[in-house]
């Protein structure tokens, strides 16, 4: 079986490099800042309140004298964990509900479509705020991820259902049915692999969207105050941080969120080329049309 690989694109490489950087920071960053740099994300230092970046504190300190670099690194791990779990929950629900409903059809499809439509018409942000405020401060990061994942699957389910409907009558599906395979086998072994690029893109943007959602909840005060995340760092910077010249309290976490969103967009270029052969053909044609110097003159 031929292995798929991302197109040889500078944009995709940049996107993967940015994403890889954040993953590495999330994995080893807290250990490095704690045991190598000897910084703490929780220790208070009343002698260095809201201190600007310096040799001792590369990103400055917050209102309680806590090192912002250590908190940013720890927030990277928490934000990515929330995004990953919420993205997996939302994408898994969307994949199972959308593809299974489209393939089975009948009353089951009507039921799951009605459920999907209910979640689609519910206002997403107000729902997140209500549920997030209700469980505020309860549980760990996984509670936040669970809330975001369970409220963010509907749009993906509709998209996958539409794509699965176009595949349901294809010859390879019919051939699999004729040899006696079960419905579950057809969904898992035939439909899901053909929709893998779409599912991968959906997972990527679900992860990034979940990080954005958590940041939004934290920014408006509906997040879990016991968590150190990018959004909570922006919230704790305070409304007057910009006017007081304390840019270092909110610019780094905001830049991390923006960089991760940019990485997702760049990687999506590569996924689009995998899922849409016309883009690959157009790219190859464009390369052949580029004039090469040194040829014979007319």
């Amino acid at each position: 079986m031929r292995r798929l690989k991302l197109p040889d694109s500078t944009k995709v490489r940049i996107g993967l490099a940015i994403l890889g950087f954040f993953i590495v920071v999330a994995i080893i960053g807290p250990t490095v800042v704690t045991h190598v740099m000897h910084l703490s994300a929780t220790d208070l230092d009343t002698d260095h309140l809201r201190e600007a970046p310096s040799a001792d504190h590369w990103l400055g300190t917050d209102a309680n004298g806590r090192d912002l670099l250590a908190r940013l690194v720890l927030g990277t791990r928490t934000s990515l964990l929330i995004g990953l779990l919420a993205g997996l929950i939302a994408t898994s629900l969307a994949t199972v509900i959308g593809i299974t409903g489209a393939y089975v059809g009948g009353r089951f499809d009507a039921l799951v479509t009605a459920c999907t439509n209910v979640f689609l018409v519910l206002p997403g942000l107000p729902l997140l705020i209500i549920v997030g405020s209700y469980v505020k401060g309860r549980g760990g990061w996984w509670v936040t991820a669970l809330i975001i994942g369970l409220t963010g699957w509907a749009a993906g389910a509709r998209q996958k259902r539409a794509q699965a409907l176009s595949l349901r009558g294809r010859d390879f599906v019919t051939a699999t049915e004729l040899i006696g395979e079960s419905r579950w086998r057809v969904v898992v072994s035939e439909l899901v692999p053909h929709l893998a690029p779409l599912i991968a893109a959906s997972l990527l943007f679900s992860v990034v969207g979940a990080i954005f959602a958590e940041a939004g909840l934290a920014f408006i005060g509906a997040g879990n105050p016991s968590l150190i995340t990018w959004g909570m760092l922006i919230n704790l910077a305070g409304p007057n941080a910009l006017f007081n010249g304390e840019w270092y309290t909110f610019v780094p976490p905001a830049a991390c969120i923006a960089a991760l969103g940019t990485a997702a967009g760049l990687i999506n270029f590569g996924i689009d080329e995998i899922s849409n052969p016309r883009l690959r053909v157009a790219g190859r044609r464009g390369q052949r049309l580029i004039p090469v110097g040194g040829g014979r003159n007319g």
Side-chain angles (χ1 to χ4, degrees):
M1 181 177 176
R2 186 170 60 90
R3 297 172 58 186
L4 289 175
K5 63 178 182 179
L6 288 174
D8 186 13
S9 169
T10 302
K11 294 178 181 178
V12 175
R13 289 179 178 178
I14 294 175
L16 289 174
I18 296 173
L19 180 61
F21 169 77
F22 283 117
I23 293 175
V24 171
V25 171
I27 294 174
I28 68 173
T31 302
V32 171
V33 297
T34 301
H35 299 289
V36 178
M37 303 179 69
H38 303 291
L39 300 175
S40 173
T42 57
D43 290 346
L44 306 181
D45 186 357
T46 56
D47 294 330
H48 300 87
L49 303 180
R50 294 188 179 274
E51 187 177 84
S54 63
D56 294 329
H57 303 283
W58 291 2
L59 293 181
T61 60
D62 64 5
N64 295 311
R66 295 172 296 195
D67 186 84
L68 287 175
L69 175 60
R71 293 177 66 79
L72 181 67
V73 171
L74 185 58
T76 300
R77 172 180 288 184
T78 309
S79 292
L80 288 188
L81 284 174
I82 291 174
L84 180 60
L85 180 57
L88 287 173
I89 292 173
T91 304
S92 299
L93 288 174
T95 300
V96 172
I97 293 174
I99 297 179
T100 305
Y103 176 70
V104 174
R107 294 182 177 179
F108 179 77
D109 184 36
L111 177 63
V112 297
T113 300
C115 181
T116 301
N117 291 336
V118 169
F119 273 87
L120 280 174
V121 298
L122 288 175
L125 181 59
L127 179 62
L128 273 176
I129 294 174
I130 293 172
V131 179
S133 299
Y134 177 74
V135 299
K136 183 177 181 180
R138 303 176 185 176
W141 60 267
W142 62 271
V143 175
T144 303
L146 187 64
I147 295 171
I148 297 173
L150 292 177
T151 57
W153 59 269
R158 168 170 283 190
Q159 181 189 42
K160 292 170 183 60
R161 177 182 179 274
Q163 294 295 324
L165 284 174
S166 67
L167 297 176
R168 188 173 60 180
R170 297 286 183 87
D171 292 340
F172 66 90
V173 176
T174 303
T176 306
E177 293 172 338
L178 290 176
I179 63 176
E181 295 289 355
S182 64
R183 288 179 172 179
W184 179 249
R185 179 74 175 177
V186 173
V187 170
V188 173
S189 64
E190 298 296 337
L191 295 180
V192 170
H194 278 79
L195 296 176
L198 177 65
I199 296 172
S202 178
L203 174 61
L204 178 63
F205 281 98
S206 293
V207 170
V208 177
I211 293 174
F212 287 175
E214 187 282 326
L217 287 175
F219 180 73
I220 63 177
N224 188 338
S226 64
L227 297 178
I228 301 177
T229 64
W230 289 340
M232 192 57 65
L233 292 178
I234 297 175
N235 172 270
L236 295 176
N240 297 321
L242 178 61
F243 300 103
N244 294 334
E246 298 168 353
W247 57 269
Y248 48 89
T249 60
F250 65 89
V251 168
C256 289
I257 295 174
L260 193 62
T262 301
L266 293 174
I267 295 172
N268 191 52
F269 282 109
I271 297 177
D272 282 343
E273 291 188 16
I274 290 177
S275 60
N276 190 347
R278 294 181 180 179
L279 294 178
R280 295 198 298 270
V281 173
R284 288 194 293 267
R285 288 177 178 175
Q287 290 177 357
R288 287 198 295 266
L289 291 175
I290 297 176
V292 179
R296 292 183 300 175
N297 294 328

